[in-house]
Amino acid sequence: MRSKGGSAPRDRSPAVTPFGDPLLGSAFHVPPPPSRLVVRGRLLDRLSLGRPCSLTLLSAPAGSGKTVLAASWAASRTASPADAGDGGGATTWVDVGDTGDAPGVFWAYVLEGLRRSGVVLEGVAPPARPEAVDRPFLIRLASALFERSNPVVLVLDDADCLASRDIADGVDFVLRHAAPQLRLVVTTRIDPMVPLHRYRLAGDVTEIRAEELAFTVPEAQLLLADLGTELSTDVVSVLTAHTEGWAAGLRLAGMTLRDRPEPDQLVGSLTRNEGQIAEYFVQEVLDREPPEVRDFLARTSVADTLWPELTNSLLGRHDGRETLAALCNANLFIQPQAGTPGCYRYHRLFREHLRARLAYFTPEEVPELHRRTARWLADHGDVTSALHHYVLAGDWQAAAGLLIDGLAVGRLLSGCGATARTDAFLGMPADAPGPEPALVRAALAVAEGDDRTCERQLALSGELADAALVDDVGVQLSTAMLRLALARRRGDVDTVLCAAEEASTLIDRLPAGQQRAHTELRCLVLSSRGDAQSWAGTLGAAADSFALGLRLAETAGCQEARLDCLGRGALLDAVGGRLHQAGKSGRAAEDLADERGLPTHSRPAAAAVTLAWVSIQHYDLPGARQWIKLVDTRPVPDSDRVVAAAARLVRARFLRARGDLTSALSALAQAGDARQDAGQGEPSWLEQIIDSERAALRLAQGRPTVAADLVATMRFPRPPQADLVLAEALLAGGDISGAGRAGADLLERPDLPLDARVGGLLLAAGCWLDRGEAVRARSVLDDALRLAEPECLRRPFLEAAPTVRRLLRHEDTDAAARLRWLDPSAGARAASRASVVRPPVTAVGPLVVEPLTEKEQEVLEHLAALLSTEEIAAAMFVSVNTVKTHVRSILRKLAAPRRNDAIRRAHEMQLI
């Protein structure tokens, strides 16, 4: 029969240990809670719900709140055992922190604690010997507990003594044989020697460790508020992260910050060596450890992550793995590193304190410890961390050598994530010796746009390397890459091509594995070569370079290089008339910039210029206007000559489409003059295209002689755009035969871009019309339409000679249906899809009762281009009153009350 338990006898001698010393009465009293207790319901629930388990273990470093949690839970059980939620029963509290490691003393305290909580254990006498207890004692104790009708909860506080094998074996025996009538709750800094693995396998242990005991931000805010420290949630979040939720750290920090809660004082007040937290670490942790452990902790604290082999390298020993595991088991503010099996890390505050002690007591050791750490990390592939430690050691030459040997210059130049590495060198002295530091200074200068410093440091690096007879491929390749970047920024075609060739040769010398690991180098060489080729006018080769660079950038994950190649390749597609592909690539570049979260003003301009170009060719003027506005927000470096020239062309074409020919000419002239003054002219082929556009604008003003003279002054070989303008000028001047011959010669050229070829066919159609050969003109016009439709190229048709535009308008019904893709109102849809535009489904309005005259038709087209009355008069060389007369006639014939209504009706009736 199990006993029901009862009150302990009153006539009893004072309890003593086997040594004869009286038992400390304070060991049996549940500690009172702090004056302001933060009730942590989630942890109290864990303790209460641990009832099915025989063992509940609270194991964590000093100051984690183990005792406070266990005491508040025990007090609540004692006050309301029926509401405990775990079966009720007696609660025994025993603080065994001062019992030592004598088993007899330990069990004497346990028995006295049970007696004081009302647990009568008949036939169980206290141990007689301090150094050991016999097996019969443990059997009698376990049996007596098992026979009880009511369960017992035994709380052993500060139970580091369970690290003693003799005590732990006895506890394990009693717990196993007294269950389920005995539940043991242990708070300790050191994991007990009981076989925890067996309890875990049986599901018979609840473990609450430092991670769960850590305060959350809301809990920390309550704790600090109770201390009278009012901090914002953001500051509490910073403080909680810095202390890792450590209870003692938060409490001490709160008291420190009570009178000065400014966030910028947080870290300093927590980590300074004379602070309260430092004092806590010394008295509660370090002073309890032997000198060899304190030495291990201090010297290994230089590393953020503690690999066993790294600690061996630092200390010249071979037991790093065992020592780290033992320190972790002892909860000495060290824990496994998440995501890195077999590695450990110190608690952040503890690590900072250890580093401060190391720097104070043995400052001469610190640089060498950082060097050893750096060498080990570099040998194991962690270059970024190794650089950090070399910098902390003040060994700038070794740090720079590691950066150069690791080919990080290529990552810096290509934007592939080398910022963290190069940022470490911002504090490097200007006189740090050696070719490698000079190269790093050159790389930093490139990143800051300081070309002169880069050039000077490159020269210095070369001199130092020659003097030291340095024959290192890392130094040579880094030098070539920096020269390449410098020449590219300056627009020096020959130097770019030479440096690209040199860099390619050096890359080929790298081992295959290193080549694969540094794909960004070839990517950068290809994009630079593509730029130089585009400057030189070899656009096909440039397009191939950008395409290959794009593939390599995608493989290497170099998003900035990918963005660069996408935009520049798209622009070359647009120049070559591949509008569909240009629009697709341009939008892909913009999408990539969106994915990277780049603000509009930080994006390369090439993609926006491309999309503006495509919109103009589609005659989507609203879309073009929006892209041009975006181009204006994106700075174009002086060296980016192709993009800058293309932006000028796009702006001029947009203004021409709106009928503002004077502003279009100014747009071409002003930007070009400014660039010439800065010593940054366009590549010759682009300059000639711009001159061709200028001549085309003069022709549009009705000045064919001026246009022809401009073309005549251009150098040979002239671009096809110039020959097209010359032929159009001849036709406008009445020389039909000369225009026909010039147009025929133009169309025989094999390298014509799409717009020039379509323009040549439209010129031929105009010549046939002027000769009265309408049938042959239609045949040539059909060829132009078939050629232009796949790319939805509208601009040449909508800016063609009036005779050609009239021929388009007067097609029969079937032909008109086929030509609906020419409707400019579909431009926005074309730009958004970058594909063949589907004909808009619009109802055909009523026929015009009275046909428009040729002049009225021309005025109507100017109205559709949003020209003012004065601008129309200037473009047609007539008076303003004449224009007003034509407008009134147009409104009457189209039955439209206003200009906008007339333009809408004209679109519906396919008059424009």
Side-chain angles (χ1 to χ4, degrees), residues 144-267:
L145 289 169
F146 182 79
E147 291 299 326
R148 286 181 54 80
S149 58
N150 294 324
V152 175
V153 175
L154 174 60
V155 181
L156 298 179
D157 185 38
D158 200 8
D160 295 353
C161 60
L162 291 184
S164 164
R165 173 64 68 183
D166 291 339
I167 296 177
D169 286 348
V171 169
D172 176 49
F173 179 87
V174 171
L175 184 58
R176 285 189 290 111
H177 292 285
Q181 297 306 102
L182 174 64
R183 177 187 174 193
L184 182 62
V185 178
V186 176
T187 75
T188 179
R189 299 183 187 183
I190 305 174
D191 277 6
M193 293 293 287
V194 298
L196 284 174
H197 61 282
R198 293 182 184 174
Y199 287 91
R200 288 168 181 153
L201 285 172
D204 201 23
V205 61
T206 298
E207 298 181 67
I208 301 176
R209 296 187 175 271
E211 294 81 3
E212 281 189 86
L213 289 168
F215 273 64
T216 62
V217 172
E219 291 170 345
Q221 194 144 28
L222 288 174
L223 173 64
L224 294 168
D226 287 344
L227 292 171
T229 306
E230 295 295 338
L231 299 173
S232 69
T233 301
D234 289 341
V235 175
V236 173
S237 297
V238 172
L239 181 58
T240 305
H242 196 73
T243 60
E244 299 187 28
W246 179 45
L250 283 167
R251 185 174 289 274
L252 292 171
M255 291 187 292
T256 300
L257 297 171
R258 186 178 297 159
D259 299 323
R260 49 185 182 86
E262 294 83 359
D264 59 350
Q265 297 180 0
L266 263 170
V267 176

